[in-house]
Amino acid sequence: MAMRPLSLPAALPALLPTILIAALAAPAPAVADLSPLEKAMIVMAADLSDAVAAPGRPESATALDASRKPAEVLGFLGLSSGMKAADLMTGGGYWAELMARVVGPQGHVTAFEPLQFYSDKTKAEWQALLARQKGITLQTHPLEAFTASPESFDFAIMNTTYHDLYTQSEKMKIPRMNPDDFVRTLYAAMKPGGVVGVIDHVASPGDTRAIAESLHRIDPAVVRADFERAGFVTEGESEVLRNAEDDHSKMVFDPAIRGKTDRFLLKFRKPQ
């Protein structure tokens, strides 16, 4: 199989273990001789690991770390200090809290939550989160009416929610939507050079709307086409969340696979 070309940020997770081991094993003068890039990569890895390991997050969040692999995901996508970041369809704010720790006081995180999903449980989770973590703004909106100011963000992430744009539900008051509207708005909201990471449950090719509604999965080729149609460039894809043992015909909430589905991680960039 041909190797997929990787941009420098996309290559970080593969290079970090070698660089970290070499740096830690080397005598002080050798460490001092590392290039600025190698030193920056070590600092980045340490920052991401520290953000995940630092105390303060509830057990309900830390219990998800093993399956979500946040340090590896954010490292692949290139989140760093000072960025203005967005957590799209944030849920209880798992990614928003970690991103706020990484971007620090010079950055900021805006968490977007559709009103259709903003339950009493979610409200309680957010009250607690905002009380313990600075640097986050929660913004609610109808799922079908996502809005954001132009060129606001350096970074954005969607975790297992993009497929929801292909669903509709009278019970949940979700109308039939055109995902292109969402992606075009997101494109406008990203700064030139800004990165969007999309994680979702892998589906086999087929009727995208029927699969999204019945299985809560989506074919990664559909996501890639949607983003490229809006003007984004596909910069890379990580295998860090893949699981070859997942049966793509199963609904993601099936007890046999829940929490360990085969997930793709795509990295898109808005051209400079």
Side-chain angles (χ1 to χ4, degrees):
M1 181 187 302
M3 292 293 290
R4 181 184 295 107
L6 294 177
S7 66
L8 181 57
L12 291 182
L15 295 175
L16 282 172
T18 301
I19 293 174
L20 287 170
I21 291 170
L24 293 173
V31 175
D33 289 341
L34 290 174
S35 71
L37 173 60
E38 290 170 330
K39 291 177 181 178
M41 290 166 71
I42 291 171
V43 170
M44 178 181 174
D47 287 347
L48 292 170
S49 296
D50 287 349
V52 175
R57 292 190 297 146
E59 185 178 353
S60 59
T62 59
L64 299 173
D65 291 345
S67 66
R68 294 191 176 183
K69 302 180 181 180
E72 293 91 333
V73 168
L74 296 176
F76 170 74
L77 296 174
L79 182 69
S80 61
S81 177
M83 284 185 170
K84 309 301 183 190
D87 183 13
L88 306 171
M89 300 192 206
T90 183
Y94 172 92
W95 289 100
E97 183 168 12
L98 287 173
M99 291 195 297
R101 292 180 171 199
V102 175
V103 302
Q106 300 305 312
H108 191 79
V109 175
T110 303
F112 293 88
E113 179 66 354
L115 288 168
Q116 289 95 327
F117 304 152
Y118 194 48
S119 63
D120 289 341
K121 178 177 180 292
T122 307
K123 291 178 183 179
E125 290 173 337
W126 268 98
Q127 287 174 351
L129 193 160
L130 293 174
R132 68 177 179 265
Q133 179 64 57
K134 296 180 180 179
I136 305 176
T137 300
L138 175 64
Q139 185 170 320
T140 58
H141 63 93
L143 178 60
E144 68 278 14
F146 167 63
T147 59
S149 299
E151 298 191 2
S152 298
F153 303 113
D154 304 290
F155 184 97
I157 193 169
M158 293 185 74
N159 180 63
T160 64
T161 53
Y162 186 78
H163 69 268
D164 287 320
L165 298 174
Y166 280 93
T167 66
Q168 63 185 106
S169 169
E170 183 176 346
K171 178 181 178 181
M172 294 288 293
K173 298 181 180 179
I174 298 174
R176 184 183 177 91
M177 295 170 285
N178 182 354
D180 285 349
D181 295 338
F182 180 95
V183 183
R184 282 195 297 263
T185 299
L186 178 58
Y187 184 88
M190 301 305 297
K191 297 178 183 180
V195 165
V196 179
V198 179
I199 302 165
D200 219 324
H201 310 282
V202 177
S204 300
D207 184 326
T208 301
R209 290 187 182 274
I211 292 170
E213 292 192 356
S214 62
L215 303 180
H216 295 271
R217 296 176 179 269
I218 191 166
D219 180 357
V222 171
V223 180
R224 188 181 295 112
D226 288 355
F227 273 75
E228 291 179 352
R229 191 161 52 250
F232 286 100
V233 174
T234 302
E235 190 163 280
E237 181 174 1
S238 172
E239 303 291 312
V240 69
L241 300 175
R242 299 303 301 263
N243 176 10
E245 297 181 1
D246 179 18
D247 180 350
H248 295 168
S249 69
K250 288 185 179 293
M251 206 247 263
V252 300
F253 302 120
D254 187 308
I257 198 62
R258 185 170 189 173
K260 47 188 177 182
T261 55
D262 185 21
R263 285 156 291 157
F264 61 85
L265 168 56
L266 290 169
K267 179 179 181 179
F268 301 103
R269 188 180 295 275
K270 180 177 181 176
Q272 291 282 359

PDB file of all heavy atoms in Angstrom, residues 12-50:
ATOM      1  N   LEU A  12       3.548  14.519  13.380  1.00  0.00           N
ATOM      2  CA  LEU A  12       4.027  14.623  14.759  1.00  0.00           C
ATOM      3  C   LEU A  12       3.821  13.357  15.581  1.00  0.00           C
ATOM      4  O   LEU A  12       4.754  12.889  16.240  1.00  0.00           O
ATOM      5  CB  LEU A  12       3.362  15.809  15.474  1.00  0.00           C
ATOM      6  CG  LEU A  12       3.777  17.193  14.988  1.00  0.00           C
ATOM      7  CD1 LEU A  12       3.074  18.252  15.809  1.00  0.00           C
ATOM      8  CD2 LEU A  12       5.270  17.399  15.041  1.00  0.00           C
ATOM      9  N   PRO A  13       2.621  12.745  15.612  1.00  0.00           N
ATOM     10  CA  PRO A  13       2.447  11.581  16.473  1.00  0.00           C
ATOM     11  C   PRO A  13       3.385  10.446  16.130  1.00  0.00           C
ATOM     12  O   PRO A  13       3.840   9.723  17.017  1.00  0.00           O
ATOM     13  CB  PRO A  13       0.981  11.181  16.227  1.00  0.00           C
ATOM     14  CG  PRO A  13       0.327  12.425  15.763  1.00  0.00           C
ATOM     15  CD  PRO A  13       1.366  13.139  14.962  1.00  0.00           C
ATOM     16  N   ALA A  14       3.705  10.262  14.859  1.00  0.00           N
ATOM     17  CA  ALA A  14       4.601   9.179  14.479  1.00  0.00           C
ATOM     18  C   ALA A  14       6.036   9.479  14.889  1.00  0.00           C
ATOM     19  O   ALA A  14       6.809   8.571  15.185  1.00  0.00           O
ATOM     20  CB  ALA A  14       4.521   8.953  12.969  1.00  0.00           C
ATOM     21  N   LEU A  15       6.419  10.751  14.912  1.00  0.00           N
ATOM     22  CA  LEU A  15       7.790  11.111  15.210  1.00  0.00           C
ATOM     23  C   LEU A  15       8.062  11.312  16.689  1.00  0.00           C
ATOM     24  O   LEU A  15       9.184  11.130  17.147  1.00  0.00           O
ATOM     25  CB  LEU A  15       8.145  12.420  14.473  1.00  0.00           C
ATOM     26  CG  LEU A  15       8.140  12.356  12.943  1.00  0.00           C
ATOM     27  CD1 LEU A  15       8.386  13.745  12.376  1.00  0.00           C
ATOM     28  CD2 LEU A  15       9.200  11.395  12.446  1.00  0.00           C
ATOM     29  N   LEU A  16       7.035  11.683  17.446  1.00  0.00           N
ATOM     30  CA  LEU A  16       7.243  12.053  18.839  1.00  0.00           C
ATOM     31  C   LEU A  16       7.887  10.963  19.682  1.00  0.00           C
ATOM     32  O   LEU A  16       8.808  11.244  20.445  1.00  0.00           O
ATOM     33  CB  LEU A  16       5.915  12.486  19.473  1.00  0.00           C
ATOM     34  CG  LEU A  16       5.487  13.899  19.111  1.00  0.00           C
ATOM     35  CD1 LEU A  16       4.085  14.168  19.626  1.00  0.00           C
ATOM     36  CD2 LEU A  16       6.453  14.924  19.668  1.00  0.00           C
ATOM     37  N   PRO A  17       7.443   9.698  19.609  1.00  0.00           N
ATOM     38  CA  PRO A  17       8.062   8.686  20.460  1.00  0.00           C
ATOM     39  C   PRO A  17       9.565   8.578  20.244  1.00  0.00           C
ATOM     40  O   PRO A  17      10.334   8.495  21.202  1.00  0.00           O
ATOM     41  CB  PRO A  17       7.345   7.390  20.038  1.00  0.00           C
ATOM     42  CG  PRO A  17       6.030   7.851  19.509  1.00  0.00           C
ATOM     43  CD  PRO A  17       6.329   9.144  18.832  1.00  0.00           C
ATOM     44  N   THR A  18      10.015   8.600  18.990  1.00  0.00           N
ATOM     45  CA  THR A  18      11.448   8.505  18.710  1.00  0.00           C
ATOM     46  C   THR A  18      12.195   9.691  19.276  1.00  0.00           C
ATOM     47  O   THR A  18      13.258   9.552  19.900  1.00  0.00           O
ATOM     48  CB  THR A  18      11.669   8.433  17.184  1.00  0.00           C
ATOM     49  OG1 THR A  18      10.987   7.292  16.682  1.00  0.00           O
ATOM     50  CG2 THR A  18      13.148   8.332  16.857  1.00  0.00           C
ATOM     51  N   ILE A  19      11.646  10.885  19.074  1.00  0.00           N
ATOM     52  CA  ILE A  19      12.317  12.088  19.549  1.00  0.00           C
ATOM     53  C   ILE A  19      12.347  12.134  21.069  1.00  0.00           C
ATOM     54  O   ILE A  19      13.365  12.462  21.684  1.00  0.00           O
ATOM     55  CB  ILE A  19      11.626  13.346  18.985  1.00  0.00           C
ATOM     56  CG1 ILE A  19      11.848  13.402  17.473  1.00  0.00           C
ATOM     57  CG2 ILE A  19      12.164  14.607  19.636  1.00  0.00           C
ATOM     58  CD1 ILE A  19      11.098  14.505  16.785  1.00  0.00           C
ATOM     59  N   LEU A  20      11.226  11.781  21.703  1.00  0.00           N
ATOM     60  CA  LEU A  20      11.175  11.813  23.162  1.00  0.00           C
ATOM     61  C   LEU A  20      12.138  10.806  23.770  1.00  0.00           C
ATOM     62  O   LEU A  20      12.864  11.123  24.714  1.00  0.00           O
ATOM     63  CB  LEU A  20       9.757  11.522  23.636  1.00  0.00           C
ATOM     64  CG  LEU A  20       8.754  12.651  23.430  1.00  0.00           C
ATOM     65  CD1 LEU A  20       7.345  12.148  23.718  1.00  0.00           C
ATOM     66  CD2 LEU A  20       9.078  13.827  24.328  1.00  0.00           C
ATOM     67  N   ILE A  21      12.169   9.592  23.240  1.00  0.00           N
ATOM     68  CA  ILE A  21      13.074   8.579  23.775  1.00  0.00           C
ATOM     69  C   ILE A  21      14.521   9.015  23.617  1.00  0.00           C
ATOM     70  O   ILE A  21      15.339   8.913  24.525  1.00  0.00           O
ATOM     71  CB  ILE A  21      12.834   7.226  23.075  1.00  0.00           C
ATOM     72  CG1 ILE A  21      11.475   6.668  23.483  1.00  0.00           C
ATOM     73  CG2 ILE A  21      13.931   6.226  23.436  1.00  0.00           C
ATOM     74  CD1 ILE A  21      11.039   5.470  22.665  1.00  0.00           C
ATOM     75  N   ALA A  22      14.857   9.538  22.436  1.00  0.00           N
ATOM     76  CA  ALA A  22      16.227   9.977  22.196  1.00  0.00           C
ATOM     77  C   ALA A  22      16.612  11.122  23.115  1.00  0.00           C
ATOM     78  O   ALA A  22      17.720  11.173  23.651  1.00  0.00           O
ATOM     79  CB  ALA A  22      16.375  10.396  20.729  1.00  0.00           C
ATOM     80  N   ALA A  23      15.664  12.046  23.302  1.00  0.00           N
ATOM     81  CA  ALA A  23      15.965  13.205  24.142  1.00  0.00           C
ATOM     82  C   ALA A  23      16.162  12.812  25.591  1.00  0.00           C
ATOM     83  O   ALA A  23      17.077  13.283  26.269  1.00  0.00           O
ATOM     84  CB  ALA A  23      14.841  14.237  24.018  1.00  0.00           C
ATOM     85  N   LEU A  24      15.296  11.934  26.092  1.00  0.00           N
ATOM     86  CA  LEU A  24      15.382  11.545  27.493  1.00  0.00           C
ATOM     87  C   LEU A  24      16.612  10.683  27.764  1.00  0.00           C
ATOM     88  O   LEU A  24      17.171  10.713  28.867  1.00  0.00           O
ATOM     89  CB  LEU A  24      14.116  10.788  27.889  1.00  0.00           C
ATOM     90  CG  LEU A  24      12.841  11.633  27.899  1.00  0.00           C
ATOM     91  CD1 LEU A  24      11.630  10.739  28.134  1.00  0.00           C
ATOM     92  CD2 LEU A  24      12.902  12.716  28.963  1.00  0.00           C
ATOM     93  N   ALA A  25      17.040   9.915  26.759  1.00  0.00           N
ATOM     94  CA  ALA A  25      18.183   9.031  26.953  1.00  0.00           C
ATOM     95  C   ALA A  25      19.505   9.742  26.739  1.00  0.00           C
ATOM     96  O   ALA A  25      20.554   9.282  27.205  1.00  0.00           O
ATOM     97  CB  ALA A  25      18.089   7.844  25.991  1.00  0.00           C
ATOM     98  N   ALA A  26      19.478  10.858  26.050  1.00  0.00           N
ATOM     99  CA  ALA A  26      20.718  11.526  25.685  1.00  0.00           C
ATOM    100  C   ALA A  26      21.261  12.368  26.835  1.00  0.00           C
ATOM    101  O   ALA A  26      20.510  12.851  27.676  1.00  0.00           O
ATOM    102  CB  ALA A  26      20.464  12.422  24.468  1.00  0.00           C
ATOM    103  N   PRO A  27      22.585  12.574  26.884  1.00  0.00           N
ATOM    104  CA  PRO A  27      23.166  13.482  27.870  1.00  0.00           C
ATOM    105  C   PRO A  27      22.753  14.907  27.585  1.00  0.00           C
ATOM    106  O   PRO A  27      22.327  15.241  26.473  1.00  0.00           O
ATOM    107  CB  PRO A  27      24.672  13.291  27.672  1.00  0.00           C
ATOM    108  CG  PRO A  27      24.806  12.757  26.281  1.00  0.00           C
ATOM    109  CD  PRO A  27      23.586  11.930  26.033  1.00  0.00           C
ATOM    110  N   ALA A  28      22.881  15.760  28.580  1.00  0.00           N
ATOM    111  CA  ALA A  28      22.395  17.131  28.479  1.00  0.00           C
ATOM    112  C   ALA A  28      22.888  17.873  27.251  1.00  0.00           C
ATOM    113  O   ALA A  28      22.104  18.534  26.569  1.00  0.00           O
ATOM    114  CB  ALA A  28      22.753  17.902  29.746  1.00  0.00           C
ATOM    115  N   PRO A  29      24.183  17.789  26.873  1.00  0.00           N
ATOM    116  CA  PRO A  29      24.614  18.527  25.690  1.00  0.00           C
ATOM    117  C   PRO A  29      23.885  18.086  24.422  1.00  0.00           C
ATOM    118  O   PRO A  29      23.578  18.897  23.564  1.00  0.00           O
ATOM    119  CB  PRO A  29      26.114  18.200  25.607  1.00  0.00           C
ATOM    120  CG  PRO A  29      26.497  17.870  27.007  1.00  0.00           C
ATOM    121  CD  PRO A  29      25.304  17.151  27.564  1.00  0.00           C
ATOM    122  N   ALA A  30      23.583  16.753  24.321  1.00  0.00           N
ATOM    123  CA  ALA A  30      22.888  16.260  23.135  1.00  0.00           C
ATOM    124  C   ALA A  30      21.479  16.819  23.062  1.00  0.00           C
ATOM    125  O   ALA A  30      20.987  17.155  21.989  1.00  0.00           O
ATOM    126  CB  ALA A  30      22.860  14.746  23.132  1.00  0.00           C
ATOM    127  N   VAL A  31      20.809  16.888  24.218  1.00  0.00           N
ATOM    128  CA  VAL A  31      19.472  17.475  24.245  1.00  0.00           C
ATOM    129  C   VAL A  31      19.525  18.928  23.817  1.00  0.00           C
ATOM    130  O   VAL A  31      18.678  19.416  23.061  1.00  0.00           O
ATOM    131  CB  VAL A  31      18.852  17.350  25.660  1.00  0.00           C
ATOM    132  CG1 VAL A  31      17.521  18.078  25.710  1.00  0.00           C
ATOM    133  CG2 VAL A  31      18.688  15.893  26.038  1.00  0.00           C
ATOM    134  N   ALA A  32      20.548  19.633  24.279  1.00  0.00           N
ATOM    135  CA  ALA A  32      20.686  21.044  23.924  1.00  0.00           C
ATOM    136  C   ALA A  32      20.899  21.224  22.429  1.00  0.00           C
ATOM    137  O   ALA A  32      20.576  22.263  21.859  1.00  0.00           O
ATOM    138  CB  ALA A  32      21.841  21.658  24.695  1.00  0.00           C
ATOM    139  N   ASP A  33      21.450  20.192  21.777  1.00  0.00           N
ATOM    140  CA  ASP A  33      21.734  20.278  20.349  1.00  0.00           C
ATOM    141  C   ASP A  33      20.537  19.951  19.467  1.00  0.00           C
ATOM    142  O   ASP A  33      20.644  19.994  18.244  1.00  0.00           O
ATOM    143  CB  ASP A  33      22.881  19.333  19.984  1.00  0.00           C
ATOM    144  CG  ASP A  33      24.217  19.825  20.534  1.00  0.00           C
ATOM    145  OD1 ASP A  33      24.303  21.028  20.855  1.00  0.00           O
ATOM    146  OD2 ASP A  33      25.149  19.014  20.660  1.00  0.00           O
ATOM    147  N   LEU A  34      19.389  19.596  20.079  1.00  0.00           N
ATOM    148  CA  LEU A  34      18.203  19.320  19.274  1.00  0.00           C
ATOM    149  C   LEU A  34      17.815  20.556  18.482  1.00  0.00           C
ATOM    150  O   LEU A  34      18.011  21.692  18.919  1.00  0.00           O
ATOM    151  CB  LEU A  34      17.030  18.908  20.168  1.00  0.00           C
ATOM    152  CG  LEU A  34      17.116  17.539  20.842  1.00  0.00           C
ATOM    153  CD1 LEU A  34      15.964  17.365  21.801  1.00  0.00           C
ATOM    154  CD2 LEU A  34      17.124  16.422  19.807  1.00  0.00           C
ATOM    155  N   SER A  35      17.241  20.332  17.312  1.00  0.00           N
ATOM    156  CA  SER A  35      16.799  21.453  16.486  1.00  0.00           C
ATOM    157  C   SER A  35      15.618  22.154  17.139  1.00  0.00           C
ATOM    158  O   SER A  35      14.919  21.568  17.974  1.00  0.00           O
ATOM    159  CB  SER A  35      16.388  20.945  15.104  1.00  0.00           C
ATOM    160  OG  SER A  35      15.168  20.215  15.197  1.00  0.00           O
ATOM    161  N   PRO A  36      15.337  23.396  16.756  1.00  0.00           N
ATOM    162  CA  PRO A  36      14.157  24.094  17.297  1.00  0.00           C
ATOM    163  C   PRO A  36      12.863  23.326  17.052  1.00  0.00           C
ATOM    164  O   PRO A  36      11.969  23.314  17.892  1.00  0.00           O
ATOM    165  CB  PRO A  36      14.169  25.431  16.546  1.00  0.00           C
ATOM    166  CG  PRO A  36      15.605  25.656  16.217  1.00  0.00           C
ATOM    167  CD  PRO A  36      16.160  24.286  15.925  1.00  0.00           C
ATOM    168  N   LEU A  37      12.759  22.667  15.871  1.00  0.00           N
ATOM    169  CA  LEU A  37      11.562  21.896  15.568  1.00  0.00           C
ATOM    170  C   LEU A  37      11.413  20.730  16.534  1.00  0.00           C
ATOM    171  O   LEU A  37      10.327  20.480  17.066  1.00  0.00           O
ATOM    172  CB  LEU A  37      11.616  21.372  14.135  1.00  0.00           C
ATOM    173  CG  LEU A  37      10.505  20.394  13.734  1.00  0.00           C
ATOM    174  CD1 LEU A  37       9.145  21.059  13.880  1.00  0.00           C
ATOM    175  CD2 LEU A  37      10.718  19.894  12.319  1.00  0.00           C
ATOM    176  N   GLU A  38      12.520  19.994  16.782  1.00  0.00           N
ATOM    177  CA  GLU A  38      12.471  18.857  17.697  1.00  0.00           C
ATOM    178  C   GLU A  38      12.115  19.308  19.104  1.00  0.00           C
ATOM    179  O   GLU A  38      11.325  18.668  19.795  1.00  0.00           O
ATOM    180  CB  GLU A  38      13.811  18.126  17.682  1.00  0.00           C
ATOM    181  CG  GLU A  38      14.078  17.395  16.380  1.00  0.00           C
ATOM    182  CD  GLU A  38      15.502  16.883  16.272  1.00  0.00           C
ATOM    183  OE1 GLU A  38      16.406  17.520  16.847  1.00  0.00           O
ATOM    184  OE2 GLU A  38      15.695  15.848  15.625  1.00  0.00           O
ATOM    185  N   LYS A  39      12.662  20.426  19.537  1.00  0.00           N
ATOM    186  CA  LYS A  39      12.339  20.954  20.871  1.00  0.00           C
ATOM    187  C   LYS A  39      10.859  21.354  20.943  1.00  0.00           C
ATOM    188  O   LYS A  39      10.189  21.096  21.948  1.00  0.00           O
ATOM    189  CB  LYS A  39      13.225  22.156  21.187  1.00  0.00           C
ATOM    190  CG  LYS A  39      14.697  21.804  21.402  1.00  0.00           C
ATOM    191  CD  LYS A  39      15.524  23.065  21.640  1.00  0.00           C
ATOM    192  CE  LYS A  39      16.992  22.725  21.825  1.00  0.00           C
ATOM    193  NZ  LYS A  39      17.824  23.942  22.008  1.00  0.00           N
ATOM    194  N   ALA A  40      10.356  21.970  19.873  1.00  0.00           N
ATOM    195  CA  ALA A  40       8.948  22.374  19.851  1.00  0.00           C
ATOM    196  C   ALA A  40       8.040  21.165  19.909  1.00  0.00           C
ATOM    197  O   ALA A  40       6.991  21.182  20.566  1.00  0.00           O
ATOM    198  CB  ALA A  40       8.656  23.194  18.590  1.00  0.00           C
ATOM    199  N   MET A  41       8.431  20.088  19.240  1.00  0.00           N
ATOM    200  CA  MET A  41       7.633  18.876  19.237  1.00  0.00           C
ATOM    201  C   MET A  41       7.586  18.250  20.623  1.00  0.00           C
ATOM    202  O   MET A  41       6.546  17.750  21.067  1.00  0.00           O
ATOM    203  CB  MET A  41       8.189  17.884  18.218  1.00  0.00           C
ATOM    204  CG  MET A  41       7.978  18.321  16.774  1.00  0.00           C
ATOM    205  SD  MET A  41       8.971  17.373  15.608  1.00  0.00           S
ATOM    206  CE  MET A  41       8.127  15.799  15.675  1.00  0.00           C
ATOM    207  N   ILE A  42       8.702  18.278  21.338  1.00  0.00           N
ATOM    208  CA  ILE A  42       8.741  17.740  22.698  1.00  0.00           C
ATOM    209  C   ILE A  42       7.852  18.560  23.618  1.00  0.00           C
ATOM    210  O   ILE A  42       7.085  18.023  24.416  1.00  0.00           O
ATOM    211  CB  ILE A  42      10.187  17.706  23.223  1.00  0.00           C
ATOM    212  CG1 ILE A  42      10.989  16.657  22.444  1.00  0.00           C
ATOM    213  CG2 ILE A  42      10.221  17.402  24.714  1.00  0.00           C
ATOM    214  CD1 ILE A  42      12.473  16.679  22.737  1.00  0.00           C
ATOM    215  N   VAL A  43       7.932  19.885  23.478  1.00  0.00           N
ATOM    216  CA  VAL A  43       7.088  20.760  24.294  1.00  0.00           C
ATOM    217  C   VAL A  43       5.610  20.506  23.988  1.00  0.00           C
ATOM    218  O   VAL A  43       4.775  20.417  24.893  1.00  0.00           O
ATOM    219  CB  VAL A  43       7.443  22.245  24.041  1.00  0.00           C
ATOM    220  CG1 VAL A  43       6.408  23.166  24.689  1.00  0.00           C
ATOM    221  CG2 VAL A  43       8.834  22.549  24.579  1.00  0.00           C
ATOM    222  N   MET A  44       5.279  20.351  22.710  1.00  0.00           N
ATOM    223  CA  MET A  44       3.896  20.109  22.312  1.00  0.00           C
ATOM    224  C   MET A  44       3.378  18.811  22.903  1.00  0.00           C
ATOM    225  O   MET A  44       2.266  18.755  23.448  1.00  0.00           O
ATOM    226  CB  MET A  44       3.794  20.064  20.788  1.00  0.00           C
ATOM    227  CG  MET A  44       2.407  19.774  20.252  1.00  0.00           C
ATOM    228  SD  MET A  44       2.431  19.730  18.442  1.00  0.00           S
ATOM    229  CE  MET A  44       0.746  19.212  18.124  1.00  0.00           C
ATOM    230  N   ALA A  45       4.185  17.745  22.820  1.00  0.00           N
ATOM    231  CA  ALA A  45       3.772  16.460  23.379  1.00  0.00           C
ATOM    232  C   ALA A  45       3.554  16.555  24.874  1.00  0.00           C
ATOM    233  O   ALA A  45       2.594  16.014  25.419  1.00  0.00           O
ATOM    234  CB  ALA A  45       4.812  15.388  23.057  1.00  0.00           C
ATOM    235  N   ALA A  46       4.455  17.263  25.552  1.00  0.00           N
ATOM    236  CA  ALA A  46       4.333  17.409  27.002  1.00  0.00           C
ATOM    237  C   ALA A  46       3.091  18.208  27.370  1.00  0.00           C
ATOM    238  O   ALA A  46       2.368  17.870  28.315  1.00  0.00           O
ATOM    239  CB  ALA A  46       5.586  18.080  27.560  1.00  0.00           C
ATOM    240  N   ASP A  47       2.817  19.269  26.609  1.00  0.00           N
ATOM    241  CA  ASP A  47       1.642  20.098  26.889  1.00  0.00           C
ATOM    242  C   ASP A  47       0.355  19.298  26.749  1.00  0.00           C
ATOM    243  O   ASP A  47      -0.555  19.395  27.577  1.00  0.00           O
ATOM    244  CB  ASP A  47       1.602  21.297  25.938  1.00  0.00           C
ATOM    245  CG  ASP A  47       2.647  22.355  26.275  1.00  0.00           C
ATOM    246  OD1 ASP A  47       3.218  22.273  27.379  1.00  0.00           O
ATOM    247  OD2 ASP A  47       2.882  23.242  25.437  1.00  0.00           O
ATOM    248  N   LEU A  48       0.262  18.503  25.686  1.00  0.00           N
ATOM    249  CA  LEU A  48      -0.947  17.717  25.452  1.00  0.00           C
ATOM    250  C   LEU A  48      -1.113  16.649  26.527  1.00  0.00           C
ATOM    251  O   LEU A  48      -2.216  16.445  27.047  1.00  0.00           O
ATOM    252  CB  LEU A  48      -0.896  17.074  24.074  1.00  0.00           C
ATOM    253  CG  LEU A  48      -0.987  18.037  22.888  1.00  0.00           C
ATOM    254  CD1 LEU A  48      -0.686  17.321  21.585  1.00  0.00           C
ATOM    255  CD2 LEU A  48      -2.361  18.698  22.827  1.00  0.00           C
ATOM    256  N   SER A  49      -0.040  15.963  26.872  1.00  0.00           N
ATOM    257  CA  SER A  49      -0.116  14.928  27.909  1.00  0.00           C
ATOM    258  C   SER A  49      -0.473  15.536  29.250  1.00  0.00           C
ATOM    259  O   SER A  49      -1.264  14.972  30.005  1.00  0.00           O
ATOM    260  CB  SER A  49       1.224  14.180  28.001  1.00  0.00           C
ATOM    261  OG  SER A  49       1.485  13.491  26.798  1.00  0.00           O
ATOM    262  N   ASP A  50       0.117  16.694  29.556  1.00  0.00           N
ATOM    263  CA  ASP A  50      -0.189  17.364  30.822  1.00  0.00           C
ATOM    264  C   ASP A  50      -1.650  17.790  30.880  1.00  0.00           C
ATOM    265  O   ASP A  50      -2.294  17.704  31.933  1.00  0.00           O
ATOM    266  CB  ASP A  50       0.708  18.591  31.001  1.00  0.00           C
ATOM    267  CG  ASP A  50       2.144  18.220  31.326  1.00  0.00           C
ATOM    268  OD1 ASP A  50       2.403  17.035  31.626  1.00  0.00           O
ATOM    269  OD2 ASP A  50       3.015  19.113  31.261  1.00  0.00           O
TER     270      ASP A  50
END
